[in-house]
Amino acid sequence: MKSIRSFSITFQAILFSFLLLLFCNTAPTQTIDCSGSSKSGNYQVYLDDLSYANVSLSNDGQLQNLMKRLSFKLASNVHALTLESTPIPLTVAYCEGRKPRGEGDFSENLVDALDDNNVILELWGQLDATTQNGSISNRKASICYVLVPVLLDEFKNPHKPGLQFALYPKDANIQSGELINLLEESIELEAFVAVGIGVNLLKNKKYDEAMKYLCKAQIILRQQHTGIAEVKQNALNDYIKQAVHKTVIDARSDPNYTGSLIDLVDENNPCP
Amino acid sequence: MKASMKWIKVLPFPTISGSAIIALAAVLLIICPIHRIHAGQLGINCTEPAVWEGAAVNAVILPYTYTGHGQKPLSKTAKELTLLVQMDVLFSMLKYGGVGTTVLSTREIPLQRVREECTPEVVTAKVLGRIPGANSQIKSGRGVVILWGYIYEEGKDVFVQSYLRFLRRNAPDRIFLTINRDMPLPMKFTGRLPDQAFAFAPKRLTVDELKEIGRAFQQSAMVRSHPNTSARGERMWLDPDLPFQYRVMDARNGWMKIESYGPGPSGWVQAQVNIAESPLSRKLPELCFVEGAVGYLRYQVHIDEIMRLPHAGRVVQWTQRALSRFEEFSQKKKGSVPVAMAKILSGNLSIISANPAQLIEAVHNASIKYTHAAALMPYNAEARNLMAVSRIYLGYLSGWSSEKPAVIAKELLNTLVLDADNDAILANLENFYVLVSKIPEEMSQIQKAELKNKLSAVRRVRAGLERNR
């Protein structure tokens, strides 16, 4: 028995080492191949595939319908984001076959590569349900978001309070499953994209524009219930607040900056 | 104290992107009796879009299609929906006069070219002359409304998501409210439209409802031998699988004479004076917005004297009614950009159409609408700026009894944070500080020293922006 356990531990260790090696070898060149991905420096939103939490759910007709509805809703919502006038145009790339499982799928190298490609947000959906005695109930859809510039910032500044991973599930019960009620008017999407663009602009010392997007995100998240777990939303709010403050401080200490943030803005609470 | 406003245009056109499938199914031109435009049939497809160059405003409708990067042939329902939307827009526009509509098609165009060239972004750039490829372009100063959307079908349900962009070529929106107009130092405050492209709330229809709407439309859209309802009539040809091609030969008193290029009848059809009569617009309120946006642009082209309207007052009424119907049929939730935009268009139209004697009342009404709009999108600097500008105007004319300058100053600074290098807002702030510096401190409730510091800061920022341009 002892030898079996020992073998099992050894095997796990070898497997782990192998995976780690594999991961380390591939990490520096990690990329995601997405249809419509832009190389022209546009801001990008990556829309991944929707998936089932387990294969047995894929035969459920109601979940199949929910998947199609969500797919429509996500695609039409991200399209709406591209209409806003942004400093750099925002485009959507469809990442066929890509189904991240969660935080573990976002290494620093990958997030760095995504950020280099101006990817602001990556999102995907997962459908789940309760299976008991062969019957399926409590059907749900979760939408997961990764705010790439925020996540990268976190990797680079681990001492920072705030988000550990910008991953937000949102539930939509199919029983009350009016498509129209899912992700209503993409308000959270709008806020997430605004945060991503704001952080990206701050990194590039575009203080005025960074302030615009960070304040927009702050105002939306302050006023709207997004369906994100409260603890996550609070963490994001705190993160944005700090980014706003940093924008003012950085602008004021930048000798090349002569704009409104020097004398016309309240340093402590700038956003209306 | 004298005040006035006028309408001008500037502002660069924002970029859009995204995909949609488009193709020519029908081309129609609606003409006004005093601007007789005899347009021939346009041989166009979505890769070479065309508009009616002689029209004051064009509506370009892209067929409703499926989402995503992959495309599949449109179902009969999708084609019927597009056709009904087109007919609704067409008939609601007719009354304005001098407007045209085009529906583009992807028919017989390779899928890859459709994906690359038939997006709203590319079509818009082409018809505005930013990139080559259009058969004809929107002329400078004239307006265009582009409507597109996605559908999703599930059983007998059809989910519809529409998007809209509207603008005038080389003539973006600005309003000026001028204080002391006849004095040596008139002071001008500027407001601009927020983004002119956005998504509407998704809507659900059923296949049966669509069929019913189609039947109702065919009942009402009779092609008659003479322009009166008692004349002999034939049903309008509506087949989503056949190109719908008519040319408008004449228009008078709310009727248009169409000549068919296909199997449909030729003759007189009656325009829809009130879009609320349309059952489709109750289901898709965005059609009311389209009607309002076309009227809004049409009126601007009129006041800029590019194409005058013989019935400008009625155009204002129709436009206001369409915008108000849109609000009525829409859900008013926080973050509803289209509803906020409807309020802003309505407020702007009140101001630009007011004669001098009505101007204060018009600005007062507009101010209420701007305030509601700013509450719906509090992160939008332009919406807040319009609200602030109207309050400055009214505050000044009331001797600052309606609102204290300190409150307005705070609002302007809040607005500036949301667009810190927006020179229009900075200019408003500078003018405002100059204006307030002439009144006693107890009235303004802003300390003179603070006022002086802020004014210097604003001027410094503006000078810096000027240097960096």
Side-chain angles (χ1 to χ4, degrees), chain B residues 244-255:
Chain B
F244 178 72
Q245 295 180 358
Y246 283 94
R247 183 168 72 167
V248 177
M249 306 301 292
D250 195 3
R252 65 175 80 141
N253 302 326
W255 289 81

Side-chain angles (χ1 to χ4, degrees), chain A residues 187-204:
Chain A
I187 201 72
E188 64 198 31
L189 258 180
E190 212 177 330
F192 295 161
V193 166
V195 181
I197 291 177
V199 173
N200 179 288
L201 289 165
L202 174 57
K203 192 176 76 179
N204 291 304

Side-chain angles (χ1 to χ4, degrees), chain A residues 76 79 82 90 178 260 263, chain B residues 17 148 154 163 204 420 460:
Chain A
S76 50
H79 177 68
T82 68
L90 188 139
E178 276 289 304
S260 306
D263 293 314
Chain B
S17 64
W148 71 100
E154 187 182 299
Y163 307 89
R204 184 175 70 174
R460 229 176 10 250

Side-chain angles (χ1 to χ4, degrees), chain A residues 67-135:
Chain A
M67 180 175 269
K68 287 180 202 159
R69 289 179 180 195
L70 262 184
S71 178
F72 165 78
K73 197 68 185 85
L74 282 176
S76 50
N77 282 357
V78 292
H79 177 68
L81 296 172
T82 68
L83 304 181
E84 193 188 343
S85 172
T86 46
I88 304 170
L90 188 139
T91 51
V92 181
Y94 297 90
C95 307
E96 220 171 331
R98 179 166 160 75
K99 297 169 185 173
R101 287 157 299 180
E103 302 174 3
D105 283 357
F106 288 87
S107 66
E108 185 174 350
N109 283 308
L110 174 62
V111 175
D112 215 358
L114 290 170
D115 188 66
D116 278 349
N117 222 11
N118 265 0
V119 178
I120 297 299
L121 182 74
E122 179 167 352
L123 67 156
W124 67 95
Q126 194 175 64
L127 303 171
D128 203 355
T130 307
T131 311
Q132 202 169 26
N133 301 328
S135 69

